[in-house]
């Protein structure tokens, strides 16, 4: 790889004419990646809609088994993390590196809370025998619901298949995001970012907001209605 | 740069670094394209040998060389390899990678490291998919219809993961090309001056980015269905197997356009260059690619007419399927017009373009037949369908890929192949191909079902013709492999612009190209096929009867004069 | 401005929880989706700054959203009208098995026994 010519910023790759062109290209690439993520999730949303249209009463009964309070807290936590990312980008645009690092750390904290609550939800369900699909074998009492009443409802296991697959893939995206944010925090400490160059933060921010948007739809669909 | 400079440059992309390591870690789009060429050729070779085994089994009724189980696994592996490991990456990943950035006047794609990553993701995916052979029993064809696919053997776990992973390679390549076309065009290269190859790769990339994620989630769900029994597709657990078909075909019908759109692009470039003429109706040809890309998303249900889907949706899907005939017809008519008004120079690449017009048109028309509801009920799951999609995939994509390979081979390797051998092989491919697949239309319409290792005596003559054809086709393809390899060592050094083409990869780079493509970013002042504006190639620049069609007859190279 | 957007998002989250606690009949689902879409639009427009961004990125996003709608609507065109051909069976294997088992149980109990409810017919 050829070294950047004299007088050019270190981050500028030789096959680009200008920093602006490089930034625009990176951003457009990220948006394209985001729509592939949207279409990936769309398969799950289609499956959800088809089965909900077929069996609305089953889905309403099943969503009673999810704790809307935990889901609601997680919604607020994720919205908060989206805010800190957006605010962090605003800080580095204004040259405030410390502000950036604080906001990135807050984002990581929110993500960790989110995953912690997810862990509580999942483990509670597993104890009550709520597994996806063919492994669905409800036992005992779950948050005041006698699980015996749910054992023979046709298509109830499918709701939980969809629940586990959707939130599972979403949770995986949160974990990936946490990994990337950790890397960004390390780079920020090294002083890699400046008002002239913060592309990785901008792109990771876009990704993180998309993860938030997916949850914005998952929360009412699974927990509320 | 004149057509006649026959000396290769001292430093070019093939010799600027020589170690194996420099190849494996390269971010040069040209080298990545060449690595894809090797990889997809191996996939084609493996898939082709499997196809010959299938045809040999069918040479006579009853068991010939393998039993029903082995037969099912053989055709399944043939299909998976050919579709996911060969046809999908064939033109975009090989020629798209090599040619597209140069045609845009760019030094590289927008994300070179991502480009290299795509290649390795493709390799990993292919290896995972092939593991299924060892684990065993994948015999449901490339469509993996649930619940059958989840009820046999564990091989399906690997093959779905393999397809899932190869899908990411396809997505990232498409993403890279879209951004490259948007952001990396040379000064003066407006959208209406883009070579039609660029337009078609651009349209292909849109399909790759939009459709491939859905096969990703489909494969993931099928994987979980097999592993955990999630019951989304398995009817025994309350799932809907028809929903699987929706998921699968939402990707796999557009995937047909991932296969055929790049072929249209290659053919457009060949038509312009070897007819010495502007491609007629340039804007219509360019935009019809985009129209096909979008319409292609609205027709997937035509694969499901007998699946039990609702009649309402069958009717809608059938109607929209007819619409696709319009932009496709626009292209074919404009290609014929281009030749009619131009001066056709019959070199090997152009022979493939002519072949394409015939074989692809047959494939296209029979496709519209299959889109007719009532006819499809009769022809569904017969050899008619097999013949149709081979006419589209092989008669369309592979023929065009061969044309493109012969066209860009001098640019890629710096060597000319033997023209006579090229013409003989082209004839063998054409005869072999039609002899293989045309009888399949006839036996299909008479009721020969697909995917059977045995058949009734009345189909024997058709199967035997088909098997003979496949051997001729095989000989033709091996001959191509042979003379291309020979040309690497004994071939004549290629002139910079042996075909007298006007796109940037021929007019503004050396042969083979410089590691950075251009010493100075080119400034584009004319369209990709504006022969009337290119007096430096053909002294008088006119077209029509008596025009100079061969650049060498104008500028004879000094070494041969 | 980011703070205002964040505040609106919190407010809409509370609104969607409250509205789902009320029984609005058929309106519960559309209302929840409307609120979710509004929230998504706020995140896309301001947090992701698409409102101020290069227009080609908006086009990319719009095309992505369009094809989600295509996927959903054309699939529903089948599933919502499934069984409109006279020679196809309605319902899934599971539903048919359950209905058959219920009929069998009623027959075994003999005439005069309490009639077990037969599961409702398949809805699609
Ligand atoms: Cu199709």
């Amino acid at each position: 790889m050829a070294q950047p010519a004299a007088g050019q910023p270190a981050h500028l790759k030789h096959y680009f004419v200008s920093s602006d062109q490089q930034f625009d290209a990176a951003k457009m690439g990220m948006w394209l990646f985001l729509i592939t993520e949207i279409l990936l999730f769309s398969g799950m949303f289609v499956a959800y809609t088809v089965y909900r249209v077929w069996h609305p009463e089953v889905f309403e009964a099943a969503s009673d088994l999810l704790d809307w309070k935990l889901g609601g807290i997680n919604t607020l936590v994720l919205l908060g993390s989206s805010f800190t990312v957006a605010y962090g980008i605003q800080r580095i645009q204004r040259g405030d590196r410390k502000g950036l690092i604080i906001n990135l750390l807050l984002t990581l904290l929110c993500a960790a809370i989110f995953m912690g609550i997810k862990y509580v939800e999942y483990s509670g369900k597993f104890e009550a025998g709520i597994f996806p699909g063919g492994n669905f074998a409800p036992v005992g009492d779950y948050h005041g619901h006698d699980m015996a009443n749910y054992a023979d409802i046709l298509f109830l296991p499918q709701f939980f298949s969809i629940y586990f697959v959707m939130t599972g893939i979403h949770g995986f995206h949160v974990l990936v995001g946490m990994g990337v944010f950790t890397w960004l925090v390390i780079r920020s400490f090294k002083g890699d970012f400046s008002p002239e160059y913060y592309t990785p933060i901008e792109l990771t921010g876009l990704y993180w907001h998309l993860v938030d948007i997916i949850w914005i739809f998952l929360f009412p669909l699974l927990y509320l209605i | 740069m004149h057509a006649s400079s026959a000396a290769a440059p001292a430093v070019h992309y093939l010799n600027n670094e020589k170690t194996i390591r420099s190849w494996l870690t390269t971010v040069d789009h040209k080298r990545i394209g060449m690595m894809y060429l090797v990889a997809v050729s191996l996939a084609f070779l493996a898939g082709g040998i499997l196809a010959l085994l299938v045809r040999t089994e069918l040479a006579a009724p009853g068991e010939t060389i393998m039993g029903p189980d082995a037969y099912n696994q053989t055709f399944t592996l043939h299909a998976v390899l050919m579709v996911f490991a060969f046809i999908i990456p064939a033109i975009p990943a090989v020629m798209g990678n090599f040619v597209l950035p140069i045609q845009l006047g760019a030094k590289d794609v927008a994300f070179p490291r991502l480009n290299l990553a795509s290649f390795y993701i493709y390799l990993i995916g292919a290896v995972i998919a092939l593991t299924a052979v060892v684990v065993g029993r994948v015999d449901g064809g490339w469509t993996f219809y649930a619940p059958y696919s989840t009820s046999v053997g564990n091989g399906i776990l690997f093959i779905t993961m393999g397809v899932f992973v190869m899908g990411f390679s396809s997505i990232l390549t498409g993403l890279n090309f879209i951004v490259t076309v948007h952001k990396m065009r040379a000064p003066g290269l407006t959208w209406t001056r883009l070579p039609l190859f660029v337009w078609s790769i651009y349209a292909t990339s849109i399909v790759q980015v939009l459709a491939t994620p859905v096969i990703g989630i489909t494969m993931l769900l099928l994987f979980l269905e097999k592993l955990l029994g999630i019951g989304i597709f398995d009817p025994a657990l309350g799932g809907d197997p028809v929903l699987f078909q929706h998921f699968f075909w939402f990707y796999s019908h557009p995937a047909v356009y991932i296969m055929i759109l790049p072929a249209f692009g290659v053919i457009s470039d060949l038509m312009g260059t070897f007819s010495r003429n502007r491609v007629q109706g340039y804007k219509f040809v360019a935009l019809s690619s985009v129209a096909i890309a979008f319409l292609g998303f609205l027709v997937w249900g035509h694969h499901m007419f007998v699946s039990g889907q609702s009649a309402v949706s069958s009717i809608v899907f059938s109607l929209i399927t007819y619409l696709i005939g319009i932009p496709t017809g626009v292209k074919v008519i404009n290609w014929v017009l281009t030749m009619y008004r131009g001066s056709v120079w019959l070199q090997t690449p152009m022979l493939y373009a002519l072949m394409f017009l015939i074989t692809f048109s047959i494939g296209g028309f029979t496709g519209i037949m299959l889109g007719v509801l009532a006819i499809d009920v009769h022809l569904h799951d017969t050899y008619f369908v097999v013949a149709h999609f081979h006419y589209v995939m092989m008669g369309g994509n592979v023929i065009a890929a061969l044309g493109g390979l012969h066209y860009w081979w001098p640019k890629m390797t710096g060597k000319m192949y033997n023209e006579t051998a090229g013409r003989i092989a082209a004839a063998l491919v054409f005869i072999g191909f039609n002899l293989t697949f045309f009888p399949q239309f006839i036996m299909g319409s008479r009721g020969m079902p697909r995917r059977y290792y045995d058949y009734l005596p009345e189909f024997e003559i058709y199967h035997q013709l088909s098997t003979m054809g496949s051997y001729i086709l095989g000989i033709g393809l091996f001959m191509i492999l042979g003379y291309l390899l020979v040309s690497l060592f004994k071939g004549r050094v290629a002139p910079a612009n042996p075909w007298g083409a006007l796109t940037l990869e021929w007019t503004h780079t050396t042969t083979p190209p410089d590691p950075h493509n251009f010493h100075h970013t080119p400034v584009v002042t004319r369209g990709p096929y504006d022969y009337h504006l290119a007096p430096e190639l053909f002294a008088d620049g006119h077209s029509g009867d008596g025009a100079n069609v061969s650049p060498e007859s104008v500028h004879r190279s000094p070494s041969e004069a | 401005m980011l703070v205002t957007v964040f505040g609106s998002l919190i407010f809409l989250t509370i609104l969607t929880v409250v509205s789902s606690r009320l029984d609005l009949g058929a309106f519960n689902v559309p209302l929840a989706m409307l609120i979710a879409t509004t929230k998504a639009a706020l995140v896309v427009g301001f947090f992701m700054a698409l409102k101020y961004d290069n227009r080609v990125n908006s086009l990319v996003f719009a095309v992505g959203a369009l094809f989600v709608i295509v996927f959903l609507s054309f699939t529903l065109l089948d599933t919502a009208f499934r069984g409109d051909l006279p020679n196809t069976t309605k319902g899934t294997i599971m539903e048919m098995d359950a209905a058959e088992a219920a009929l069998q149980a009623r027959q075994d109990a003999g005439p005069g026994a309490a009639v077990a409810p037969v599961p409702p017919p398949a809805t699609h």
Side-chain angles (χ1 to χ4, degrees):
Chain A
M1 186 74 35
Q3 291 301 310
Q8 289 194 334
H11 61 261
L12 182 62
K13 304 277 199 300
H14 76 276
Y15 42 88
F16 286 110
V17 177
S18 67
S19 283
D20 275 353
Q21 186 197 24
Q22 182 173 339
F23 180 75
D24 281 355
K27 206 160 174 189
M28 185 177 176
M30 194 62 197
W31 273 104
L32 283 164
F33 177 71
L34 293 187
I35 66 168
T36 70
E37 290 279 12
I38 293 175
L39 278 148
L40 185 84
F41 276 99
S42 77
M44 290 314 301
F45 283 103
V46 168
Y48 174 93
T49 313
V50 166
Y51 286 113
R52 190 186 169 96
V53 170
W54 276 345
H55 317 293
E57 63 300 328
V58 177
F59 271 53
E60 270 159 42
S63 82
D64 284 348
L65 289 173
L66 299 182
D67 188 343
W68 67 267
K69 293 189 200 87
L70 290 180
I73 293 171
N74 258 350
T75 309
L76 296 178
V77 167
L78 265 198
L79 284 175
S81 72
S82 254
F83 171 75
T84 52
V85 170
Y87 191 62
I89 291 172
Q90 203 185 71
R91 294 323 308 161
I92 188 68
Q93 279 170 341
R94 293 176 190 176
D96 176 7
R97 206 156 60 83
K98 200 169 143 222
L100 169 72
I101 292 173
I102 291 172
N103 276 293
L104 288 180
L105 288 173
L106 281 175
T107 309
L108 266 175
L109 179 70
C110 286
I113 295 174
F114 180 90
M115 290 313 288
I117 292 180
K118 272 260 86 74
Y119 174 77
V120 172
E121 284 190 275
Y122 270 35
S123 52
K125 290 196 179 56
F126 291 156
E127 270 164 35
I130 302 176
F131 291 107
N135 299 313
F136 188 71
V139 283
D141 186 88
Y142 179 66
H143 292 293
H145 298 277
D146 181 4
M147 290 311 292
N149 294 335
Y150 291 91
D152 289 324
I153 301 181
L154 284 183
F155 304 110
L156 192 77
Q158 271 167 314
F159 174 86
F160 286 103
S161 294
I162 291 171
Y163 166 82
F164 279 116
V165 175
M166 279 179 138
T167 56
I169 299 178
H170 180 265
F172 175 75
H173 278 82
V174 174
L175 285 177
V176 170
M178 289 173 75
V180 181
F181 277 123
T182 311
W183 172 69
L184 288 181
V185 169
I186 295 169
R187 284 192 65 182
S188 309
F189 272 115
K190 284 191 196 156
D192 279 359
F193 303 120
S194 63
E196 286 77 42
Y197 178 70
Y198 56 90
T199 314
I201 303 172
E202 174 89 13
L203 301 188
T204 315
L206 289 176
Y207 167 83
W208 192 251
H209 295 311
L210 186 87
V211 172
D212 188 18
I213 288 173
I214 303 285
W215 185 259
I216 285 176
F217 283 98
L218 286 183
F219 171 57
L221 284 176
L222 293 172
Y223 290 81
L224 295 181
I225 54 177
Chain B
M1 189 68 52
H2 273 248
S4 52
S5 51
V11 178
H12 51 77
Y13 85 101
L14 290 168
N15 70 4
N16 68 322
E17 287 176 296
K18 291 208 171 79
T19 58
I20 304 255
R21 194 190 143 87
S22 77
W23 274 87
L24 295 179
T25 59
T26 184
V27 287
D28 180 348
H29 67 98
K30 300 181 287 299
R31 287 187 162 206
I32 294 172
M34 294 308 278
M35 292 200 289
Y36 267 117
L37 178 62
V38 174
V40 300
S41 301
L42 288 175
F44 187 48
L45 183 67
I49 289 171
L50 290 165
L52 289 175
L53 289 175
V54 165
R55 279 317 319 168
T56 306
E57 164 54 35
L58 293 169
E63 191 170 315
T64 314
I65 55 164
M66 58 178 111
D69 265 350
Y71 178 80
N72 289 353
Q73 292 180 40
T74 309
F75 82 70
T76 299
L77 198 63
H78 159 70
V80 172
L81 270 179
M82 283 300 202
V83 170
F84 294 105
F86 168 64
I87 301 187
I88 297 233
I91 299 181
V94 178
M95 293 161 214
N97 252 320
F98 194 97
V99 178
L100 180 112
I102 313 184
Q103 285 195 336
L104 291 172
K107 287 182 183 163
D108 209 321
V109 292
F111 311 113
R113 273 187 298 177
L114 190 68
N115 201 12
L116 181 66
S118 309
F119 175 70
Y120 283 110
I121 293 171
Y122 161 81
L123 279 191
I124 293 168
V127 169
I128 297 176
L130 283 174
T131 316
V133 186
V134 186
V135 182
R137 264 201 84 81
V138 184
D139 58 0
W142 74 285
T143 49
F144 317 120
Y145 276 4
Y148 178 74
S149 58
T150 54
S151 62
V152 288
N154 284 328
I156 191 75
L157 288 174
F158 291 88
I159 221 148
T160 48
M161 262 306 120
V163 171
F164 180 76
V165 173
M166 280 191 273
F168 275 101
S169 161
S170 183
I171 288 174
L172 296 175
T173 304
L175 185 156
N176 217 333
F177 287 168
I178 292 178
V179 177
T180 307
V181 172
H182 269 273
K183 304 287 181 194
M184 314 280 282
R185 298 194 308 277
L189 191 57
T190 57
W191 285 89
T192 52
R193 282 179 180 166
L194 290 178
L196 286 163
F197 181 70
V198 173
W199 268 104
S200 70
I201 293 285
Y202 178 71
T204 308
S205 302
I206 294 176
V207 182
Q208 282 177 307
V209 164
L210 288 172
T212 317
V214 176
I215 196 74
I217 188 77
T218 311
M219 289 295 120
L220 199 60
L221 288 175
L222 197 66
F223 182 83
L224 294 173
E225 187 81 57
K226 175 76 184 164
L227 199 66
L228 303 172
I230 54 172
I232 290 186
F233 300 136
D234 185 353
L237 296 169
D240 181 21
V242 179
L243 191 66
F244 174 82
Q245 298 190 20
H246 281 296
F247 274 55
F248 180 80
W249 289 112
F250 181 87
Y251 166 74
S252 293
H253 183 80
V256 173
Y257 298 107
I258 298 177
M259 305 172 196
I260 201 67
L261 281 172
F264 290 163
V266 172
I267 298 300
S268 297
D269 268 19
L270 293 181
M271 286 291 174
T273 300
F274 289 94
S275 301
R276 307 291 177 224
N277 193 4
R278 303 175 78 161
V279 174
Q280 303 294 302
Y282 170 90
K283 280 184 188 163
F284 287 99
V285 177
L287 291 177
S288 64
S289 291
V290 182
I292 291 172
F294 279 94
L295 277 179
F297 277 92
L298 310 178
V299 298
W300 78 80
H302 63 211
H303 296 271
M304 301 165 59
F305 289 156
V306 299
S307 70
Q309 75 174 352
S310 76
V312 176
S313 58
S314 289
I315 292 167
V316 172
F317 280 128
S318 176
L319 282 175
I320 304 176
T321 301
Y322 303 158
L323 283 184
I324 299 214
I326 297 172
T328 314
V330 163
K331 283 180 187 291
V332 173
I333 289 168
N334 278 303
W335 290 327
V336 174
L337 263 182
T338 306
M339 289 192 292
Y340 176 70
R341 296 205 182 138
S343 311
V344 178
W345 190 32
L346 278 179
Q347 293 293 93
T348 307
M350 188 61 176
L351 292 178
Y352 284 100
L354 293 176
M355 243 186 257
F356 174 93
L357 279 187
I358 298 168
T359 51
F360 172 73
S361 298
I362 294 175
F365 276 123
T366 50
I368 295 179
M369 283 171 74
L370 287 167
V372 180
L373 271 171
I375 298 180
D376 184 70
V377 173
H378 176 71
L379 294 176
H380 191 86
D381 266 352
T382 68
Y383 262 76
F384 193 91
V385 178
V386 177
H388 153 67
F389 71 69
H390 280 94
Y391 263 89
V392 174
M393 292 186 190
M394 178 138 198
N397 181 292
V398 178
I399 298 284
L402 288 173
L405 187 64
H406 284 85
Y407 178 55
W408 282 302
W409 185 260
K411 181 56 63 178
M412 291 170 165
T413 63
K415 296 291 172 61
M416 299 300 289
Y417 48 84
N418 185 311
E419 177 67 23
T420 316
R423 291 179 188 197
I424 294 170
L428 285 175
V429 167
F430 185 69
I431 295 167
F433 172 79
N434 283 294
L435 192 58
T436 309
F437 294 107
F438 206 84
Q440 298 187 357
F441 279 125
I442 302 171
M443 64 174 141
S445 65
R446 297 188 177 183
M448 172 75 211
R450 66 195 278 200
R451 295 183 176 171
Y452 280 60
Y453 91 116
D454 194 6
Y455 47 85
L456 295 170
E458 67 245 44
F459 297 119
E460 193 171 353
I461 176 71
Y462 305 114
H463 274 296
Q464 283 176 345
L465 284 175
S466 184
T467 301
M468 273 193 290
S470 69
Y471 293 156
I472 298 176
L473 181 57
I475 293 170
L477 291 170
F478 274 112
M479 190 175 160
I480 295 173
L481 180 68
Y483 68 72
L484 287 183
L485 289 180
V486 166
S487 80
L488 287 181
F489 305 101
K490 299 199 168 161
R492 180 163 67 88
V493 174
N497 190 356
W499 317 119
L502 286 190
T503 41
L504 293 178
E505 83 273 28
W506 296 110
T507 55
H508 281 70
T509 63
T510 52
T511 295
D514 183 81
H516 293 296
N517 298 348
F518 307 100
H519 293 292
H520 306 284
T521 305
V523 176
V524 181
T525 54
R526 63 183 177 214
Y529 317 106
D530 284 345
Y531 278 94
H532 59 292
L533 300 179
E536 78 273 21
L537 283 178
F538 301 99
D540 50 0
H542 83 98
S543 62
D545 287 342
N548 287 315
V549 289
S550 154
E552 286 166 55
S553 67
V554 182
H555 299 284
R556 201 166 294 280
S557 63
S559 57
E560 292 174 11
Chain C
M1 191 195 62
L2 289 179
V3 180
T4 321
V5 174
F6 183 49
S8 322
L9 288 169
I10 303 276
F11 169 74
L12 286 169
T13 306
I14 296 168
L15 188 68
T16 187
V17 170
V18 171
S19 71
S20 75
R21 302 280 99 191
L22 308 171
D23 186 10
L24 304 173
F27 291 104
N28 270 75
V29 177
L31 182 65
M33 284 299 95
L34 184 72
I35 295 174
T37 311
T38 314
K39 286 166 72 179
L42 284 174
V43 174
V44 171
F46 296 96
F47 282 0
M48 298 166 96
L50 197 57
K51 192 163 179 277
Y52 312 101
D53 205 346
N54 205 325
R55 270 200 314 208
V56 73
N57 292 340
S58 304
L59 183 69
V60 168
F61 181 71
V63 168
L66 177 72
F67 278 88
V68 173
I69 294 169
V70 165
F71 188 14
L72 185 62
S73 55
F74 276 73
T75 306
L76 284 177
L77 195 62
D78 164 30
T79 57
F81 297 98
R82 185 72 64 75
D84 61 354
L85 277 174
N87 62 347
T88 53
T89 22
K90 295 183 177 191
T92 64
I93 295 175
M94 269 173 79
E95 285 169 314
M96 287 190 291
D97 285 352
E100 205 170 293
L103 284 172
Q104 191 67 42
R106 197 156 65 168
Q107 202 176 26
D108 292 347
V115 177
V118 177
T123 48
H124 55 270

